[in-house]
Amino acid sequence: MSSSQVRLMLQPSARCLFDDPVQVKVTGLRSKQLVTMKARSTDDKGVMFSSSATYRADGSGEIHLDRDPSLSGSYVGVEPMGLLWSMKPDTLHKHFQKSRTLNPVTVTFSVHEEGDGKMLAEVTNERLLIGDKISRVPVKAGNVCGTLFIPIGRGPFPAVLDLSSSRSETRACLLANKGFVVLSITLYNDKPANVKEIHLDYLEEAVDFLKRHSKVGSKGIGVISRSKGGDIALSLAAFVPGIKAVVWINGCNANVALPLYYKKRQILPPLLLNLTKLIPTESGALNGKYVLDNPLAEENKDTLIPIERAKGHFLFVASEDDFNWDSKAYMDAMMERLKRHGKENFESVSYPGAGHLLEPPYGPHCYSCSHYCISKPVVWGGEARAHAAAEVHLWKKIQEFFTTHLSCDDTQLKSML
């Protein structure tokens, strides 16, 4: 059978949002033919990521990735989006970099003959980070420096502050596609090594900026963050008025590494790190799971964040295979603390087999890469299949959580008309 009859299709379209699944389908093969399916993509730093899997066509010469199992390769079993999440970099310790949000991520899918590997068909998938109905606005207002993503339309819309340690707008613009005004800012306005303290006043200024925005209609602001940003988000909820909903992903229950200031006084001393507890692994990356001092030890009690003061709601998210730190233990301690204070303003989810870097779904799973703060490769953890499934589940849960707790009310809408 000539390769000209083989067709590789992406449904419903070869152009979609980054966090949308596609159905991959091959037709025109010989009955029961064995083929290799491949995917490849180059990130914004020029690093190539790729995956491959062996499939057998059905009696009609067709393969449907949402129905048929991979027999071998980067993954096995029925995994409709397996070619995406199982992509690996061509060099060790690389994270798929998506720094240019206005450009789509392009993934090339191809089908090859088993054996000599002759390519039978290929198709390019354009995965958009920012949809047609979103505007991206760089922000420099007072001390606030970041990027604002605004849905096009009259609004008003619920608002979310997206805190990240490194400069990444991916999560923020993908969330904006779902109908939220999202301000993306970084925790550090300098190289992390030069930062000696963090001031909540700067973050309060960002919250106030969102509250005042003409397109924002939610009474309070949502905050989403991961890792070090997690404890900052908790502190915002505890000390700054107007925080209605916080998504805390794989963070700590104490103020980590840097003293925290608010209104010109220190409100929380830092929980210290002991870098001698970094464990080298065979790959050369470091395991930092137990690098933090115990936040529950008597001498560290004053570093714990008084989350019982918060008026808003929390969504706590912990990965059970997090090798960056012991997120699940910190989450359990926070829930215990809130219960002890008679609070019920929280929900939680934990993911067995998932690693530290929980992100919007369908990107390549990153097991290890260079750490932003220590400039050495670290192990983030996670088994690729379980991690990918966790990202799909969590992304939907985050949207539901913010929609529930950041609803815009009619009286506010009328006053803005």
Side-chain angles (χ1 to χ4, degrees):
M1 185 166 281
S2 73
S3 61
S4 62
Q5 290 173 276
V6 178
R7 288 190 65 208
L8 176 54
M9 292 164 285
L10 302 177
Q11 295 169 332
S13 168
R15 185 177 164 89
C16 65
L17 287 174
F18 184 87
D19 56 341
D20 281 346
V22 286
Q23 285 181 290
V24 185
K25 184 177 172 184
V26 186
T27 60
L29 297 168
R30 295 189 304 275
S31 174
K32 306 296 183 184
Q33 182 177 352
L34 269 178
V35 293
T36 300
M37 303 280 300
K38 295 185 178 180
R40 67 183 187 278
S41 184
T42 303
D43 76 358
D44 289 346
K45 290 282 174 89
V47 178
M48 165 76 86
F49 287 71
S50 60
S51 60
S52 67
T54 304
Y55 282 88
R56 187 185 295 280
D58 64 12
S60 306
E62 295 191 358
I63 295 168
H64 300 228
L65 262 62
D66 60 346
R67 174 195 75 185
D68 301 322
S70 161
L71 305 175
S72 64
S74 301
Y75 58 94
V76 292
V78 179
E79 289 291 335
M81 299 291 279
L83 286 170
L84 288 181
W85 57 252
S86 71
M87 285 195 289
K88 286 198 166 75
D90 54 15
T91 49
L92 268 179
H93 312 313
K94 295 292 179 186
H95 182 240
F96 194 91
Q97 297 289 329
K98 303 184 288 284
S99 50
R100 296 192 285 271
T101 50
L102 296 177
N103 297 349
V105 172
T106 57
V107 182
T108 303
F109 291 96
S110 53
V111 56
H112 303 253
E113 283 184 359
E114 190 71 358
D116 68 3
K118 177 188 167 193
M119 188 167 74
L120 302 174
E122 75 173 357
V123 65
T124 299
N125 183 198
E126 281 197 339
R127 307 189 64 78
L128 305 169
L129 296 167
I130 185 165
D132 300 333
K133 296 179 178 176
I134 301 296
S135 61
R136 177 187 180 277
V137 184
V139 171
K140 186 76 183 77
N143 295 308
V144 179
C145 185
T147 309
L148 190 65
F149 295 92
I150 311 167
I152 291 168
R154 292 175 67 184
F157 303 101
V160 175
L161 179 65
D162 184 309
L163 296 177
S164 60
S165 301
S166 55
R167 293 190 181 280
S168 172
E169 298 175 0
T170 303
R171 183 174 60 194
C173 62
L174 289 174
L175 197 53
N177 293 330
K178 311 300 180 191
F180 298 90
V181 171
V182 187
L183 176 61
S184 170
I185 63 171
T186 60
L187 284 179
Y188 311 114
N189 284 335
D190 200 345
K191 291 178 181 172
N194 298 338
V195 178
K196 303 299 179 216
E197 57 199 34
I198 289 183
H199 290 258
L200 270 189
D201 310 74
Y202 162 64
L203 297 158
E204 183 176 39
E205 202 176 325
V207 168
D208 290 340
F209 172 86
L210 273 176
K211 279 185 190 167
R212 288 194 308 270
H213 197 278
S214 60
K215 286 284 186 79
V216 171
S218 48
K219 286 178 177 174
I221 303 299
V223 184
I224 185 168
S225 61
R226 185 184 64 209
S227 204
K228 169 60 189 167
D231 62 76
I232 298 300
L234 297 177
S235 295
L236 264 175
F239 293 102
V240 173
I243 306 299
K244 198 85 178 288
V246 170
V247 177
W248 172 101
I249 304 170
N250 291 331
C252 187
N253 56 333
N255 176 53
V256 174
L258 298 162
L260 187 65
Y261 285 79
Y262 185 43
K263 301 195 184 299
K264 298 187 177 164
R265 68 181 187 90
Q266 181 178 299
I267 52 172
L268 290 170
L271 179 71
L272 300 177
L273 300 84
N274 183 349
L275 295 181
T276 64
K277 290 184 183 172
L278 285 167
I279 305 162
T281 64
E282 280 181 31
S283 71
L286 300 163
N287 177 338
K289 181 151 192 164
Y290 301 108
V291 79
L292 287 179
D293 288 349
N294 177 10
L296 300 180
E298 195 55 45
E299 65 272 19
N300 296 323
K301 289 283 175 70
D302 55 351
T303 69
L304 291 169
I305 299 154
I307 49 177
E308 66 280 358
R309 293 176 45 155
K311 299 281 195 294
H313 287 78
F314 294 108
L315 171 60
F316 299 131
V317 182
S319 295
E320 294 183 24
D321 198 36
D322 186 348
F323 285 172
N324 185 67
W325 46 25
D326 200 356
S327 306
K328 177 71 165 59
Y330 303 147
M331 180 175 90
D332 290 345
M334 286 195 294
M335 293 194 295
E336 181 58 40
R337 181 181 183 115
L338 287 171
K339 284 174 189 167
R340 211 167 53 239
H341 284 88
K343 298 279 189 171
E344 296 178 347
N345 58 337
F346 65 92
E347 53 189 288
S348 70
V349 60
S350 61
Y351 295 108
H356 187 71
L357 293 184
L358 285 173
E359 299 180 305
Y362 309 128
H365 168 56
C366 176
Y367 186 77
S368 62
C369 70
S370 181
H371 193 290
Y372 186 68
C373 293
I374 63 173
S375 301
K376 289 178 182 173
V378 299
V379 180
W380 303 111
E383 183 277 312
R385 180 197 301 258
H387 188 92
E391 288 183 334
V392 172
H393 181 270
L394 175 61
W395 189 232
K396 188 163 180 275
K397 192 156 183 66
I398 287 168
Q399 293 165 50
E400 289 169 352
F401 176 76
F402 280 145
T403 300
T404 300
H405 297 293
L406 299 176
S407 56
C408 300
D409 67 16
D410 286 344
T411 55
Q412 193 150 0
L413 175 57
K414 284 172 188 155
S415 70
M416 296 172 93
L417 294 177

